Amino acid sequence: MPESTERGALTEAVFYILLSLFTPMHGYGIMQNVKDLSHARVNLGAGTLYGAINTLSEKKWITLLDNEKDSRKKQYVITDLGKLMVRDEIARLRELLMNGEQIAGEEQ
């Protein structure tokens, strides 16, 4: 995953994972929620999801719920830093959309 703590674009999968974790969820719940949010356009495999979870945990964008450390179904939740990254991505996407509408929207 190319994301860093610098202000860069998030992949679509990472963006949806972070959005999903505004509510604590376990891995399968995240997979289902991403599928629902994206209208089945984004389907995460287990390897992709857990690789992303590990990376996002290392970056401190998500965390394991304290009471879940010994549970088989671990639940994750977004951190304040993760929420900041989502807000930054929304602002970036708004700018892209505004620029696109200003230039290409005139052709409609």
Side-chain angles (χ1 to χ4, degrees):
M1 238 181 324
E3 292 83 1
S4 69
T5 55
E6 297 172 14
R7 304 295 187 245
L10 301 180
T11 64
E12 193 171 15
V14 166
F15 184 70
Y16 277 125
I17 291 167
L18 291 172
L19 284 180
S20 295
L21 292 177
F22 273 77
T23 301
M25 276 185 209
H26 54 78
Y28 183 75
I30 296 169
M31 289 168 56
Q32 292 299 93
N33 198 55
V34 167
K35 187 175 182 179
D36 291 345
L37 286 172
S38 69
H39 303 285
R41 204 172 31 76
V42 178
N43 288 301
L44 297 175
T48 301
L49 174 66
Y50 288 104
I53 285 174
N54 288 335
T55 300
L56 294 171
S57 293
E58 288 172 8
K59 292 180 180 186
K60 305 207 183 317
W61 294 5
I62 66 171
T63 190
L64 187 61
L65 287 180
D66 285 336
N67 60 344
E68 299 293 327
K69 289 189 171 120
D70 296 323
S71 173
R72 244 179 56 108
K73 283 192 172 183
K74 293 177 169 50
Q75 286 197 317
Y76 301 89
V77 67
I78 192 168
T79 63
D80 288 340
L81 179 57
K83 289 177 184 178
L84 174 65
M85 299 311 292
V86 168
R87 287 192 301 271
D88 285 352
E89 181 67 0
I90 290 169
R92 187 188 73 79
L93 292 170
R94 276 192 184 121
E95 181 181 342
L96 285 173
L97 185 59
M98 182 184 71
N99 291 336
E101 288 174 340
Q102 285 176 346
I103 294 170
E106 295 172 3
E107 295 179 10
Q108 293 178 353

